[in-house]
Amino acid sequence: MTKGRIFSGIQPTGTIHIGNYIGAIKNWVALTEAYDCVFSIVDYHAITIDYDVESFQESIMNAARTLIACGLNPEKCRLFIQSRVIEHTELAWILNCITPLGDLERMTQFKDKSKQHRENINVGLLDYPVLQAADIMLYKSTAVPVGEDQIQHVEFTRRISRRFNGKFGKTFPEPKWLLSSTPKILGLDGKAKMSKSLNNDIGILERPDDIWEKLRTSVTDENRKRLKDPGDPKICNLYTMHTSFSPDDVVTDVADQCKSASRGCVDCKKILFENLMKELAPIQAKAQELEKRPDEISDILNDGASKCSETAKEVMEEVRGKMKLAG
Ligand code: ADP
């Protein structure tokens, strides 16, 4: 008996970063023990911004490898590429027809991305939450593990589920969001959230030298201009990372040493780097090993897509029936 069904997705844009890992993936791995889990590499979401067509397939395979290297066991969940299950876009169209335009225009992510991609504010960017709602509802998911940035989209999904059920009869559960213990990691600039598209991230598979260079130059509590200035761990993004990667006693020590100015930021970063690499090194080794076996990854993704198609077809049949799109 499982606690319910989970859906969550990740975009195959750029490299998967430690924000994705702490905010979502680590939680996904843990949840496979108790829930019926469906995880997707959401390529249709990734094409809402300009992307590199030539390297896109490689990015998708890279995302799959990274997820498995992070501990996602394909025997305990379904892992698939979104565009391989065509019902996602079919349900999205149906949901479009019950979505008020104003709901989408209000979305924080749409507003942010419209600013970031002024030259390409396409309808897909606006419609992103509807496709995401379709992803979740297609499997009648009851819970969605996400980072803090996605709460608004899951709330929207709940509203759309309610609206569909109200118009056409009870069909979908109202899914709840599940947050990890660190649902938001800021980027290396210490300002915006860490994101693939903002170029402020630490990729899970990056070379240790590159990771250190990024950490070394990253922003901490800006009030600590000199070594003797005390800092406030609560407003330091590096401290947030410590809470995710360093043992509890080290977390307590670095917080005390920051507040009393008895340890400088560079030393604190060195400790973080060591603990971060302890967690990332085995993941990087596993990913390298998987790179030698591309057929294995393709088999996992094909198997995931065919299992998801079965569920998707059943749910769409029910949806078409309820809407009298079918006799
Ligand atoms: P990105 O925002 O980097 O493009 P995705 O949209 O593919 O990443 O998000 C995949 C998952 O990772 C989502 O559940 C999202 O909430 C989570 N996530 C993304 N960035 C962060 C972050 N900086 N901190 C915590 N969780 C994050």
Side-chain angles (χ1 to χ4, degrees):
M1 190 56 189
T2 68
K3 285 191 189 168
R5 181 170 288 157
I6 270 180
F7 177 93
S8 199
I10 189 156
Q11 299 188 74
T13 5
T15 49
I16 294 180
H17 54 75
I18 59 171
N20 299 135
Y21 177 66
I22 292 302
I25 303 169
K26 228 177 153 180
N27 215 9
W28 292 9
V29 174
L31 292 164
T32 55
E33 299 300 332
Y35 289 82
D36 173 14
C37 291
V38 180
F39 296 123
S40 185
I41 296 163
V42 288
D43 50 349
Y44 276 153
H45 285 282
I47 63 171
T48 55
I49 56 169
D50 286 329
Y51 67 102
D52 183 24
V53 179
E54 289 312 316
S55 60
F56 199 44
Q57 271 310 307
E58 183 46 31
S59 299
I60 291 172
M61 294 309 278
N62 202 20
R65 268 198 300 273
T66 310
L67 291 175
I68 296 168
C70 286
L72 204 67
N73 180 350
E75 286 175 9
K76 291 189 178 167
C77 64
R78 293 181 249 176
L79 177 65
F80 75 108
I81 301 170
Q82 181 189 31
S83 64
R84 302 277 169 85
V85 179
I86 53 174
E87 287 80 3
H88 284 254
T89 42
E90 187 183 356
L91 183 56
W93 176 256
I94 287 173
L95 300 181
N96 272 332
C97 300
I98 56 167
T99 298
L101 183 58
D103 276 21
L104 299 180
E105 287 168 336
R106 270 195 296 277
M107 290 290 166
T108 309
Q109 185 174 299
F110 172 66
K111 288 186 196 157
D112 289 348
K113 287 200 171 174
S114 303
K115 280 188 206 131
Q116 277 166 36
H117 305 280
R118 280 181 205 282
E119 69 303 333
N120 182 15
I121 307 176
N122 61 75
V123 176
L125 203 59
L126 176 73
D127 207 25
Y128 189 111
V130 178
L131 181 58
Q132 190 170 338
D135 298 337
I136 296 165
M137 290 162 64
L138 192 55
Y139 302 97
K140 297 198 174 182
S141 314
T142 52
V144 191
V146 284
E148 201 178 275
D149 58 321
Q150 292 297 329
I151 292 179
Q152 200 183 29
H153 288 173
V154 182
E155 261 173 357
F156 167 79
T157 304
R158 291 171 66 85
R159 277 203 302 283
I160 292 297
S161 296
R162 259 199 311 274
R163 181 163 299 141
F164 186 97
N165 293 343
K167 270 181 180 287
F168 304 110
K170 177 93 182 97
T171 311
F172 297 108
E174 280 178 41
K176 56 179 191 231
W177 61 84
L178 298 175
L179 293 180
S180 77
S181 52
T182 314
K184 181 171 181 182
I185 289 201
L186 296 180
L188 298 166
D189 49 7
K191 293 191 175 72
K193 76 154 193 157
M194 185 175 286
S195 171
K196 299 175 201 112
S197 48
L198 292 179
N199 205 15
N200 63 358
D201 60 336
I202 293 181
I204 293 178
L205 303 184
E206 276 189 70
R207 290 177 44 237
D209 286 355
D210 294 338
I211 294 181
W212 168 244
E213 197 45 32
K214 284 186 173 182
L215 274 184
R216 193 184 66 78
T217 52
S218 63
V219 174
T220 54
D221 173 1
E222 287 181 311
N223 297 321
R224 280 201 88 181
K225 293 193 173 48
R226 293 157 307 176
L227 199 58
K228 61 178 187 189
D229 293 334
D232 180 359
K234 283 204 284 306
I235 58 168
C236 177
N237 192 34
L238 272 288
Y239 176 73
T240 312
M241 293 188 199
H242 266 295
T243 62
S244 299
F245 293 103
S246 298
D248 290 348
D249 54 336
V250 174
V251 174
T252 312
D253 284 353
V254 293
D256 291 346
Q257 290 157 351
C258 176
K259 284 187 256 182
S260 61
S262 57
R263 189 188 287 279
C265 290
V266 175
D267 275 357
C268 182
K269 288 173 175 180
K270 280 186 189 154
I271 300 171
L272 173 63
F273 174 67
E274 264 173 39
N275 290 316
L276 176 63
M277 287 320 299
K278 268 189 206 150
E279 187 136 352
L280 296 191
I283 296 175
Q284 297 188 345
K286 178 91 198 272
Q288 275 174 12
E289 199 189 291
L290 289 168
E291 208 170 343
K292 296 182 198 133
R293 309 198 300 272
D295 292 350
E296 199 179 300
I297 304 289
S298 300
D299 289 348
I300 289 168
L301 295 172
N302 288 338
D303 184 50
S306 93
K307 287 181 182 145
C308 286
S309 287
E310 274 174 41
T311 314
K313 280 188 175 50
E314 274 169 32
V315 173
M316 283 314 298
E317 208 161 298
E318 184 184 346
V319 167
R320 284 189 222 102
K322 292 231 166 90
M323 296 179 75
K324 301 294 175 231
L325 290 164

